[in-house]
Structure formats: structure tokens, C-alpha cells
Amino acid sequence: DRPPARLAPPQLPALAALDSMAQGGVPTLDQLKGSFVDVAAAVNATAEAPAAAPPQSLWETVTAKLSSVVKVRKRSAVEWPEAVAAASRQLADNDLAAAVATLSRPPDPPPAVSHWRQGAQARLAADAAIRNAMHDAVRLISGTANGG
């Protein structure tokens, strides 16, 4: 005559992490690949030197001649187009983790890279939480959770 025993829902921390991610949403790999085209265009446009006005004085003429031979740029400005090209190849291979790692190496990321990288890191965190939830569920079902 007693009601059947009810089991309390299992505590799976990975599900809590996924729940918080679901509130704000996480971009898919396809969305990240699509938006990376704009990131690459922004980085490459920034890396291109603007056209200089024609020199007016002797000093400007000398400086213009020297600058046509020697390019002086911040090191990070040179690294970003190469990093973006490498990340683009990695994304084409569906290797999001490698693309994020590549875009984490050069210093001073352009704003477009920083924004994209935040979304990519959220996707990687969501994928890890899904793997952890699946692992926890399998352990729970198989009775190996909590030393069982």
C-alpha cells in the first residue's frame, strides 16, 4: 500500500554547466566558421598599409623612399594575418580547438578576433560539458558512480 519509492534525480555537475550555457546560447561550429570570414577580412584590412600622401618636403621625400624599402610595423600587426590564415585552414578541417589555440598566441588581438574567440571558447566549453555529462550518465547507469 505504500507508494513506490522515488529516486532523487542524480547530481550531474556537467548538466548544470550546460543549463547556464543554454541561457545565453552558444554558437555552433558552422556559425563560427561563417563569422570567421568577416574576422579574417577585418584583420587583413587592418594589416594593409593606408596609402600615403605624396611627400612635400625633402625630409618627407627621404622618409617615403626609406619606408618603401623598410617596413616598420608592430610585431603583432605582422603576426595576425598569418595567424588568421592558419586558423582558417584549421576551421576548414573542423579543428576548432586548434584554431582557438592559434589565435591565442599572438599578443594584442584585434577586437574582431577577441569577440570571435570568446564565442569559440564558449563552444569548446559546451562540447566539453556535453562529453562530461555523457561520461557521468554512463557511469551512473553502469553503477560505477560514487564508487558503486
Side-chain angles (χ1 to χ4, degrees), residues 36-50 73 76-89 103 110 112-113:
F36 196 75
V37 173
D38 296 332
V39 172
V43 168
N44 290 328
T46 302
E48 294 172 3
R73 288 192 261 176
S76 62
V78 175
E79 292 175 359
W80 280 109
E82 290 84 7
V84 165
S88 183
R89 290 188 297 274
L103 295 175
V113 170

Side-chain angles (χ1 to χ4, degrees), residues 24-70:
V26 176
T28 66
L29 177 59
D30 286 339
Q31 289 171 330
L32 289 164
K33 289 166 85 171
S35 66
F36 196 75
V37 173
D38 296 332
V39 172
V43 168
N44 290 328
T46 302
E48 294 172 3
Q56 302 298 320
S57 68
L58 176 61
W59 178 249
E60 288 175 340
T61 302
V62 170
T63 303
K65 292 288 184 193
L66 287 174
S67 66
S68 69
V69 175
V70 178

Side-chain angles (χ1 to χ4, degrees), residues 89-118:
R89 290 188 297 274
Q90 292 159 334
L91 284 174
D93 291 335
N94 294 320
D95 194 346
L96 183 60
V100 168
T102 296
L103 295 175
S104 296
R105 281 194 276 276
D108 306 320
V113 170
S114 292
H115 179 73
W116 183 90
R117 200 169 57 191
Q118 286 174 347

